[in-house]
Amino acid sequence: MPFELQRGYKAMLDEAVSRRCRFWLINLSGRASGVSAADLQWILEEFFPQLPLRLRRPVYIAYLMAPHQLAGSLADPNVPNAAYYDDRSYRIERFTVQEEALAWLQDCRQQDAKIRRRKTA
C-alpha cells in the first residue's frame, strides 16, 4: 500500500506541475482505510515540501473527508493541526462538505491573486 499511495501522490503532483495547478481538492471520503504512520511521515516530510519547489508558488490543498475520517485525523497525534502549515509555502485544510472545501479554495485563489498583484505593483 505505501508504494501505491506514493505513486498516486507523485502522479498527482506531476499532473499539477504540467497544468500549473496550485489549488487542489483531494477527496478521501470514499477511502476505506486510513493512512499509515509511515505514509503520513512520507507525505509530511517528503511530499509536501516538494510542492512549492515544483510549482514555484504556494499550494493550497482541501482534503474532503467523511465525518469519521475527519474525527480520526483530528484525534490522531501524528496528524498536524492547521497551524502547522501557517509558516509553510502550502496550506492544508480538512472538510466534510465539498461546497465548503471549494469555497475555501476559491477564497485562497482570491487572496493569492491579491498578494501577487501587490507584489507586482
Side-chain angles (χ1 to χ4, degrees):
M1 184 66 165
F3 175 73
E4 183 179 325
L5 181 131
Q6 291 179 20
R7 187 179 65 193
Y9 268 66
K10 288 175 183 177
M12 183 172 55
L13 178 55
D14 289 342
E15 186 68 21
V17 169
S18 74
R19 295 176 182 262
R20 297 181 185 171
C21 178
R22 300 180 302 113
F23 302 87
W24 302 5
L25 174 65
I26 300 176
N27 187 346
L28 300 177
S29 62
R31 188 179 169 115
S33 62
V35 176
S36 71
D39 285 340
L40 180 60
Q41 182 178 0
W42 177 84
I43 291 169
L44 292 172
E45 295 178 8
E46 294 185 41
F47 180 76
F48 285 161
Q50 290 181 48
L51 299 176
L53 300 173
R54 299 262 328 263
L55 289 161
R56 308 218 183 261
R57 298 211 332 255
V59 178
Y60 304 87
I61 302 173
Y63 278 103
L64 183 61
M65 305 171 142
H68 73 277
Q69 291 170 315
L70 178 59
S73 74
L74 293 173
D76 186 340
N78 296 312
V79 177
N81 63 30
Y84 170 85
Y85 302 104
D86 287 346
D87 63 345
R88 289 166 168 71
S89 296
Y90 47 92
R91 291 289 318 237
I92 306 329
E93 291 290 343
R94 295 168 281 202
F95 300 88
T96 58
V97 177
Q98 181 171 330
E99 291 77 14
E100 292 174 6
L102 293 172
W104 178 78
L105 288 168
Q106 182 62 30
D107 184 56
C108 290
R109 183 183 296 262
Q110 291 169 350
Q111 295 300 319
D112 188 76
K114 286 179 187 176
I115 291 168
R116 283 194 4 240
R117 280 193 299 271
R118 277 189 238 137
K119 287 182 178 180
T120 59

